[in-house]
């Protein structure tokens, strides 16, 4: 029972980190970046290559993956999304799906479709054993990383100048630019942060589930998106809560109900939550002034 | 309200004029032959204006005359089809709105556009965005520079809020303020960008006479304390005639009259186009 809870928290933390990327980009650029899941996959491959081929240690290869994904995020935003800044949200959504397929197929060309066995990058830390309970080191590192990221992001958006600029852009792009805020740069920074987080999520995810394929990112990506909606899209604590709840529900469903049905159960929970509270758990209800 | 002494307007090169006391100082704004078309509609045409360093200028005209369009042109929300804007001697051609703001034009909006979910103080700090200097890393790591800059920003924000006696509201959510206070906060936020020219789009809209009276005093005080130029769009003639030193009247996108308040009040074209029948100013 406790083991399941720990596994759930660990998986949920990965979802939460990915969901943060979705929620920040949605909150600020008002777009659903469906290519986000594939950035996770790229992060995983980059970390895989730097450990297996370049022989880098766990921390340098994670950092390398973060840097590559951050740059990738900025480049994708510049080339694919920026020209569509004033286009309808539907056009941007389709573009994002296109970018997603592009990344998957690029990965297919570079790394082929054969699954790669990902080395456990946090394996060097010993597991904690309390009586019969074994807490895997991956779970500990994942949960701690999640908490740290969450704290840093909250401080960043809440207190710093760039964070305030982000919240201003999120509310009213037009007014923000007339206050001297460079809207394009703010959106680029958001993408950079989201993609950097995706790289960390990629490393953590592949450490826990060591099969790496070009489609590795899509399912966790969709689930993390679900988590973001579940918690209230646009809200940072919401993404965190949604991610963790989703992970725990998924693991418990796998353990007690059915392995095959676990995904169906996860999405059923989402549907029920959205029926009861359409803005998500922590989403704010916006009542239009008449 | 006591009748103020009218400021003497003097000519500068081009068909413009500015208050006598601003002669010898650089013009804060000079627009020549400014115009914009929306499709086949010539929304603004041949707009010429010069604004002195500490001038309060009124822009009036019937609804749909193109007043807000002029503000949007000056702040580069719209790209002008024709003409040139010199802001403090610099051509704003090719500048984006954020750069125009940095170069010295700040504005408020006809329908309030505050950041509702942010606090009053945060709204003011957004205005100070380009005057708070620390990098993102410094901000996340809380280095000493972050604290000193944030303290300076905090103190300056309170000082600005105090102009309108709003310092005690600093922690409130901007969206929860009463209407009049939101209008005042917009002016404070614009001032926080440290502009050379402040554009006020209908600052007195929805205000009662005593609030309008306060607003007039505050606009004058802002001009005197900060030594900046102010251009305002307003329908409240008492306010316009009371504080503007020069007035530009716009109709169908064209300037139909320019001058001191008394010249405008006695201009037959203005009376016909705008005031309809002649009224007490």
């Amino acid at each position: 029972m406790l083991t399941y809870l720990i596994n759930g928290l660990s998986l949920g933390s990965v979802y939460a980190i990915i969901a943060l990327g979705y929620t920040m980009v949605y909150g600020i650029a008002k777009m659903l970046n469906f290519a986000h899941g594939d950035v996770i996959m790229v992060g995983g491959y980059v970390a895989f290559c730097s450990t297996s081929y370049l022989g880098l240690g766990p921390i340098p290869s994670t950092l390398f993956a973060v840097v590559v994904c951050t740059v990738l995020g900025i480049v994708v935003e510049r080339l694919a999304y920026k020209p569509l800044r004033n286009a309808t949200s539907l056009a941007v959504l389709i573009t994002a799906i296109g970018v997603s397929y592009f990344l998957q197929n690029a990965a297919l060309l570079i790394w082929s479709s054969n699954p790669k066995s990902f080395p456990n990058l946090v394996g060097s830390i010993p597991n904690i054993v309390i009586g019969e309970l074994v807490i895997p080191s991956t779970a500990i590192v994942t949960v701690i990383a999640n908490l740290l990221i969450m704290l840093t992001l909250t401080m960043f958006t809440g207190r710093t100048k760039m964070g305030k600029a982000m919240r201003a852009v999120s509310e009213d792009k037009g007014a923000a630019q007339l206050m001297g805020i460079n809207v394009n740069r703010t959106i680029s920074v958001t993408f950079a942060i989201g993609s950097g987080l995706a790289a960390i999520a990629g490393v953590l995810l592949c450490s826990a589930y060591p099969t790496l394929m070009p489609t590795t990112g899509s399912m966790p990506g969709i689930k993390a998106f679900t988590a973001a909606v579940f918690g209230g899209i646009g809200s940072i604590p919401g993404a965190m809560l949604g991610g963790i709840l989703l992970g725990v529900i998924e693991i418990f469903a796998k353990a007690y109900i059915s392995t095959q049905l676990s995904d169906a159960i996860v999405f059923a929970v989402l549907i029920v939550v959205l029926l009861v509270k359409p803005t998500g758990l922590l989403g704010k209800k916006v009542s239009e002034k008449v | 309200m006591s009748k103020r002494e009218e400021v003497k307007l003097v000519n500068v090169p081009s068909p413009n004029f500015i208050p006598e006391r601003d002669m010898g100082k650089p013009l804060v704004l000079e627009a020549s032959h400014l115009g914009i078309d929306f499709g086949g509609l010539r929304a603004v045409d041949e707009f010429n204006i010069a604004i002195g360093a500490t001038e309060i200028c009124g822009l009036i005209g019937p609804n749909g005359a193109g007043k807000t369009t002029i503000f949007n042109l000056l702040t580069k929300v719209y790209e002008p089809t024709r003409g040139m804007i010199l802001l403090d001697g610099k051509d704003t051609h090719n500048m984006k709105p954020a750069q125009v703001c940095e170069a010295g034009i700040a504005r408020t909006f006809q329908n309030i556009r505050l950041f509702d979910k942010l606090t009053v103080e945060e709204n003011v700090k957004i205005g100070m965005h380009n005057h708070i200097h620390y990098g993102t890393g410094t901000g996340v790591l809380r280095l000493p520079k972050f604290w000193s800059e944030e303290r300076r920003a905090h103190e300056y924000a309170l000082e600005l809020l105090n102009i309108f006696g709003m310092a005690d509201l600093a922690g409130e959510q901007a969206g929860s303020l009463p209407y009049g206070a939101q209008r005042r906060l917009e002016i404070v936020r614009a001032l926080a960008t440290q502009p050379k020219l402040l554009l006020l789009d209908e600052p007195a809209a929805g205000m009662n006479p005593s609030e309008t009276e306060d607003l007039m005093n505050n606009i004058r005080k802002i001009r005197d304390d900060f030594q900046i130029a102010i251009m305002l769009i307003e329908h409240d003639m008492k306010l316009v005639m009371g504080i503007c030193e020069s007035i530009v009247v716009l109709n169908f996108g064209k300037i139909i009259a320019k001058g001191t308040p008394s010249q405008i009040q006695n201009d037959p074209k203005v009376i016909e186009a705008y005031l309809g029948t002649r009224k007490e100013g």
Side-chain angles (χ1 to χ4, degrees):
Chain A
M1 169 78 189
L2 260 179
T3 317
Y4 293 138
L5 185 65
I6 289 163
N7 284 343
L9 283 179
S10 164
L11 180 65
S13 295
V14 174
Y15 288 157
I17 296 173
I18 310 171
L20 282 174
Y22 270 113
T23 229
M24 282 188 71
V25 167
Y26 179 81
I28 286 134
K30 293 279 174 288
M31 66 160 287
L32 293 171
N33 181 16
F34 272 119
H36 193 62
D38 302 290
V39 179
I40 302 168
M41 173 271 296
V42 173
Y45 271 111
V46 171
F48 169 77
C49 289
S50 44
T51 37
S52 304
Y53 303 143
L54 302 176
L56 294 178
I59 293 175
S61 44
T62 309
L63 284 180
F64 185 56
V66 170
V67 171
V68 170
C69 286
T70 306
V71 172
L72 177 72
I74 295 173
V75 169
V76 164
E77 197 272 329
R78 249 320 123 70
L79 295 181
Y81 303 144
K82 195 181 161 193
L84 299 173
R85 191 80 82 223
N86 298 317
T88 60
S89 52
L90 198 59
V92 186
L93 188 74
I94 306 261
T95 308
I97 294 173
V99 171
S100 164
Y101 277 110
F102 175 80
L103 290 178
Q104 279 184 25
N105 286 298
L108 199 63
L109 279 176
I110 301 171
W111 291 293
S112 87
S113 60
N114 296 334
K116 299 261 191 295
S117 174
F118 193 82
N120 190 342
L121 287 186
V122 290
S124 51
I125 305 167
N127 298 344
I128 295 180
V129 184
I130 308 167
E132 289 199 353
L133 181 71
V134 179
I135 307 177
S137 51
T138 322
I140 300 167
V141 172
T142 308
V143 171
I144 291 175
N146 179 27
L147 287 176
L148 276 180
I149 288 169
M150 171 79 192
L151 267 176
T152 314
L153 271 188
T154 312
M155 297 247 261
F156 174 71
T157 52
R159 296 293 309 278
T160 67
K161 166 186 149 181
M162 194 64 199
K164 276 196 276 275
M166 281 181 176
R167 286 188 289 154
V169 171
S170 142
E171 269 200 52
D172 188 337
K173 279 197 197 102
Q177 66 175 349
L178 286 164
M179 293 301 130
I181 290 172
N182 187 334
V183 173
N184 282 327
R185 219 188 68 195
T186 309
I187 292 178
S188 286
V189 170
T190 313
F191 269 88
I193 293 175
S195 307
L197 291 181
I200 297 179
V203 171
L204 292 170
L205 183 77
C206 295
S207 293
Y209 303 88
T211 326
L212 187 56
M213 287 187 294
T215 51
T216 294
S218 45
M219 199 57 193
I222 290 179
K223 282 198 191 137
F225 170 63
T226 312
V229 176
F230 189 42
I233 196 149
S235 145
I236 290 178
M240 166 101 169
L241 182 69
I244 287 181
L245 279 179
L246 206 75
V248 172
I249 292 171
E250 184 179 331
I251 295 285
F252 274 87
K254 267 190 184 139
Y256 292 108
I257 306 173
S258 152
T259 316
Q260 280 89 31
L261 282 180
S262 69
D263 285 349
I265 293 167
V266 166
F267 290 112
V269 170
L270 170 79
I271 293 172
V272 172
V273 168
L274 289 188
L275 283 176
V276 179
K277 205 163 179 303
T279 49
L281 293 175
L282 297 184
K284 275 189 210 98
K285 195 172 163 239
V286 186
S287 46
E288 203 72 31
K289 234 185 219 171
V290 195
Chain B
M1 191 184 67
S2 64
K3 184 90 178 125
R4 246 167 3 95
E5 245 180 74
E6 208 155 85
V7 175
K8 193 175 166 224
L9 299 175
V10 290
N11 272 316
V12 290
S14 77
N16 295 314
F17 42 79
I18 58 170
E20 196 173 20
R21 63 162 191 281
D22 285 339
M23 282 305 282
K25 293 181 210 161
L27 293 175
V28 72
L29 181 88
E30 198 174 4
S32 40
H33 312 292
L34 199 61
I36 184 170
D37 300 343
F38 296 120
L41 177 75
R42 193 150 278 205
V44 171
D45 198 24
E46 279 298 309
F47 185 78
N48 293 295
I49 197 171
I51 295 184
T54 61
E55 180 173 349
I56 301 182
C57 170
L59 183 58
I60 63 173
N63 286 326
K67 304 183 293 293
T68 300
T69 305
I70 299 244
F71 273 19
N72 284 336
L73 285 172
L74 294 179
T75 51
K76 293 309 265 309
V77 172
Y78 297 150
E79 193 60 40
T81 316
R82 295 172 295 279
M84 187 175 64
I85 305 164
L86 289 179
L87 169 60
D88 208 20
K90 281 194 293 281
D91 192 347
T92 67
H93 184 67
N94 282 336
M95 280 194 196
K96 296 207 175 68
Q99 292 167 311
V100 172
C101 171
E102 221 179 328
I105 299 186
R107 71 177 284 185
T108 65
F109 301 89
Q110 196 169 353
N111 33 7
I112 300 173
R113 286 176 77 172
L114 287 169
F115 305 114
D116 284 346
K117 288 181 216 141
L118 271 56
T119 66
V120 169
E121 183 181 336
E122 283 171 338
N123 266 280
V124 181
K125 282 187 181 168
I126 292 286
M128 293 159 68
H129 187 76
N130 287 320
H131 302 282
I132 302 178
H133 304 285
Y134 62 77
T136 302
T138 315
V140 173
L141 296 173
R142 308 281 143 126
L143 301 179
K145 181 93 190 273
F146 168 83
W147 294 109
S148 66
E149 283 286 290
E150 280 291 325
R151 184 165 329 112
R152 195 178 59 83
H154 171 73
E155 279 161 11
Y156 190 58
L158 289 188
E159 197 183 306
L160 288 178
L161 283 168
N162 239 340
I163 298 174
F164 288 101
M166 289 171 74
D168 52 325
L169 297 174
E172 302 277 326
Q173 255 205 342
S176 69
L177 294 184
Y179 180 83
Q182 292 198 7
R183 281 228 166 267
R184 288 190 286 271
L185 177 56
E186 266 211 320
I187 299 180
V188 175
R189 182 181 65 173
L191 267 181
T193 66
Q194 305 184 9
K196 299 183 181 100
L197 171 65
L198 180 61
L199 305 179
L200 303 175
D201 200 343
E202 298 197 22
M207 287 195 174
N208 65 35
S210 86
E211 282 176 320
T212 306
E213 187 81 16
D214 284 346
L215 179 72
M216 287 169 67
N217 294 330
N218 280 320
I219 291 176
R220 219 176 278 134
K221 186 169 152 33
I222 287 168
R223 196 272 311 273
D224 293 343
D225 291 357
F226 292 85
Q227 289 291 307
I228 57 174
I230 295 173
M231 187 172 181
L232 55 90
I233 294 174
E234 189 47 70
H235 287 295
D236 186 329
M237 282 307 128
K238 196 171 143 221
L239 184 143
V240 174
M241 298 302 165
I243 61 170
C244 292
E245 293 153 345
S246 67
I247 294 174
V248 173
V249 189
L250 211 61
N251 200 14
F252 297 113
K254 287 200 171 115
I255 294 178
I256 57 169
K258 279 200 255 191
T260 63
S262 59
Q263 284 168 344
I264 294 298
Q265 277 165 312
N266 297 313
D267 190 311
K269 272 209 292 219
V270 177
I271 295 165
E272 185 198 325
Y274 188 70
L275 299 173
T277 51
R278 188 155 174 220
K279 271 193 224 154
E280 273 283 316

